[in-house]
Amino acid sequence: MASKIRVYGQAQNLTALGIIHAYMKLYPEATIEDLRNAFPDALSPDKGVAEIFIDADTPDADEHYFTSVDEVIETADGKRVAMAKLWTKPSYDNLVRRAADYDIEVAEFEHQQQVGKKGSYYIEYVNGFVPGDEVETVQQYEESKMKRGCLGWLWVLLGIFLIFLIALFIGKCCSKDDTVVPAGEITETAIIVDEAGGGAQTGANGVAGQNAGTDASSVNSSTGAAVSDATGAATAKATGNTDTCTTAPAEAVAQIEKYQKQFDAIEYPVGEYQLKPEAKAILDNVARIMKENPGMKITVNGYASREGNPQANQVLSDKRAATVVDYLVSKGVASGCLKASGLNTSDPISKELSPNRRIDFVVE
């Protein structure tokens, strides 16, 4: 059977951790006992610890186990599971062969570029696999083999039908407004609707925002700003009069650049867009500067690293930008002087992955 998930990692032990997280993606209903049955202790006789998997909340979960928040495995029975860190080459090869039995393939791991810096791993869905089509429990794996192909196509058809209904609904809403937003342009309202999960502010801009990441004619990659006058007009109508936005003084721009550097130091975990407490503290200062300089106009550009597929990364970069804009508005910043733009994986600033999961502030 073709693989469903491919695991990449920096260093042998991180790739091993990625295999187990991939297994949980495929089998979200798995318990700690399922993990132990799927990957028994016999796979790693030279691991240096008694068990591969233990309860992460016990004293036994010491430096020989992965115990940080983003490393702990959460199982369906409510357990927080720590996995052994030490994997020799023979044990690692055993684990890779075992993973293949569960439709998981492993790419050759990448050596870390900087000695002493924590590495990472990431997961790629392959051969048409879409999360959500997986079997519900490990025990149901064999009996569901014949059903999964049919279920996958059923979900695809259902998704197409839902997209058609949404497009029809949006078309009717747009007919009530005489402002036309060309496809491929981003407005603040479009991004906020996506982040809010389709809340009260729905409209034609929601569709336009989704197309922005692939339309080079509507977005300037060096500034992150939409260049069409029609976009500014639509944003003004939806969120306030942008004519009040003015050029920011040099001192205010310098302060924003200072907080930009501080924000860059807070890296997003893979696949996440939520703001950490330290990120909110920095944005509080950005909001204060903008309120002290009424009319300052900022475009918030969201970026993703190269893990996953481009469609998912576009949605993720949209949400990263939108979440920042939403927070600034909640702190009293005029929405008419803010724009959110998701720029996918464009303009990487580093060969490493994590620094490219970021937000840029562009003062206009």
Side-chain angles (χ1 to χ4, degrees):
M1 179 179 292
S3 300
K4 295 178 180 178
I5 292 184
R6 182 180 297 126
V7 179
Y8 300 82
Q10 293 174 326
Q12 198 162 266
N13 62 340
L14 288 166
T15 308
L17 179 64
I19 290 172
I20 305 306
H21 279 275
Y23 175 88
M24 293 304 300
K25 290 284 187 184
L26 283 169
Y27 307 104
E29 297 298 320
T31 65
I32 187 172
E33 290 305 317
D34 291 327
L35 276 176
R36 288 168 173 165
N37 290 332
F39 303 97
D41 294 336
L43 292 177
S44 183
D46 52 354
K47 57 186 172 298
V49 292
E51 299 175 281
I52 294 177
F53 304 105
I54 64 171
D55 191 331
D57 298 317
T58 64
D60 292 335
D62 54 18
E63 70 272 13
H64 298 101
Y65 288 87
F66 290 107
T67 56
S68 66
V69 174
D70 57 342
E71 293 169 345
V72 168
I73 304 153
E74 295 186 1
T75 56
D77 54 350
K79 296 287 187 181
R80 297 178 69 255
V81 180
M83 175 184 169
K85 276 186 178 180
L86 180 60
W87 288 87
T88 63
K89 187 63 167 62
S91 297
Y92 172 81
D93 290 342
N94 290 338
L95 182 68
V96 171
R97 284 191 290 269
R98 187 72 171 185
D101 294 338
Y102 296 95
D103 302 332
I104 301 169
E105 68 177 85
V106 181
E108 182 177 356
F109 62 84
E110 306 167 1
H111 293 282
Q112 294 175 229
Q113 297 178 351
Q114 297 182 17
V115 176
K117 183 166 183 178
K118 183 179 178 181
S120 61
Y121 70 87
Y122 65 95
I123 293 169
E124 178 184 18
Y125 302 116
V126 295
N127 297 320
F129 173 67
V130 177
D133 291 346
E134 58 269 29
V135 294
E136 293 183 353
T137 66
V138 179
Q139 290 77 11
Q140 294 171 324
Y141 175 71
E142 290 297 333
E143 66 186 53
S144 64
K145 282 184 178 180
M146 298 300 295
K147 299 178 182 178
R148 282 178 288 177
C150 295
L151 286 175
W153 281 109
L154 180 61
W155 280 111
V156 170
L157 293 174
L158 180 59
I160 294 172
F161 180 67
L162 289 176
I163 291 172
F164 171 76
L165 291 180
I166 292 171
L168 184 63
F169 172 76
I170 291 175
K172 290 182 179 180
C173 292
C174 293
S175 64
K176 300 177 182 179
D177 194 338
D178 56 0
T179 301
V180 177
V181 181
E185 297 179 352
I186 298 176
T187 70
E188 182 192 358
T189 305
I191 301 302
I192 291 175
V193 168
D194 181 69
E195 169 60 17
Q201 296 180 339
T202 54
N205 297 343
V207 175
Q210 292 177 5
N211 294 330
T214 57
D215 187 355
S217 65
S218 64
V219 176
N220 185 316
S221 62
S222 63
T223 63
V227 298
S228 171
D229 292 338
T231 302
T235 305
K237 183 167 185 177
T239 62
N241 186 1
T242 57
D243 292 340
T244 61
C245 300
T246 59
T247 302
E251 181 180 355
V253 174
Q255 289 179 305
I256 295 296
E257 291 175 349
K258 179 185 73 172
Y259 291 121
Q260 168 76 70
K261 293 178 181 178
Q262 294 180 11
F263 201 95
D264 286 344
I266 305 172
E267 297 177 349
Y268 285 97
V270 176
E272 294 188 12
Y273 59 89
Q274 295 86 352
L275 295 172
K276 297 180 178 179
E278 54 267 38
K280 291 180 179 179
I282 294 172
L283 292 179
D284 288 342
N285 288 312
V286 174
R288 173 181 55 79
I289 295 170
M290 293 190 73
K291 289 188 288 186
E292 290 174 355
N293 297 271
M296 174 187 283
K297 186 176 182 180
I298 290 182
T299 295
V300 179
N301 293 330
Y303 296 88
S305 53
R306 60 181 172 83
E307 297 100 321
N309 61 66
Q311 293 82 0
N313 282 336
Q314 181 60 57
V315 173
L316 184 59
S317 63
D318 286 344
K319 288 186 175 183
R320 283 175 177 164
T323 304
V324 170
V325 168
D326 287 348
Y327 185 81
L328 292 173
V329 171
S330 75
K331 293 298 178 178
V333 177
S335 60
C337 289
L338 287 167
K339 288 184 180 179
S341 178
L343 298 184
N344 209 311
T345 59
S346 63
D347 298 330
I349 60 174
S350 173
K351 292 182 179 179
E352 296 186 20
L353 298 172
S354 54
N356 297 316
R357 306 180 205 117
R358 71 189 195 278
I359 288 291
D360 282 347
F361 301 108
V362 180
V363 183
E364 301 180 16

